[in-house]
Amino acid sequence: VLFRSIVDMKNKVEFLLAATIYVNESEDVGSGNYQTHKIGLPFLRDLGYSLYHTELQRKKQFLPDLSEFNFYN
C-alpha cells in the first residue's frame, strides 16, 4: 500500500491518497522483484497531480481549516 498526503495551505487543498497496486512485471509472485520505484511511485505521483489539479478547480461548499498543520507561522 502506497500513501501520499497532499496539503496546500495557500489554495486550501488537502487530501490523502492511498493505493494498492500490482507492480510485478515478471508475474513471478514471491520473488521480491517488484517495480515499486519504476511503476508504482510514478503512477501514484501522476494520480496525485491529477487529483490535485481537479481539487484546485472544484468548487467547495466548505473550505478546510488547515491551521493545525501550519508549522511555519
Side-chain angles (χ1 to χ4, degrees):
V1 178
L2 302 171
F3 293 95
R4 288 289 183 256
S5 176
I6 310 299
V7 178
D8 178 354
M9 300 291 202
K10 180 181 175 187
N11 294 306
K12 301 281 188 181
V13 171
E14 54 90 23
F15 60 92
L16 176 68
L17 178 60
T20 301
I21 56 176
Y22 187 73
V23 291
N24 184 346
E25 289 179 326
S26 68
E27 301 290 328
D28 187 12
V29 177
S31 68
N33 186 18
Y34 303 105
Q35 291 73 36
T36 302
H37 294 286
K38 180 181 171 188
I39 299 172
L41 293 178
F43 171 80
L44 195 60
R45 178 199 62 215
D46 294 345
L47 181 59
Y49 283 145
S50 179
L51 290 172
Y52 173 74
H53 289 290
T54 299
E55 283 296 301
L56 281 176
Q57 304 297 321
R58 187 174 67 89
K59 299 287 185 202
K60 298 169 192 71
Q61 184 176 1
F62 302 103
L63 290 177
D65 177 8
L66 303 174
S67 60
E68 180 180 339
F69 304 104
N70 194 352
F71 303 113
Y72 301 105
N73 281 343

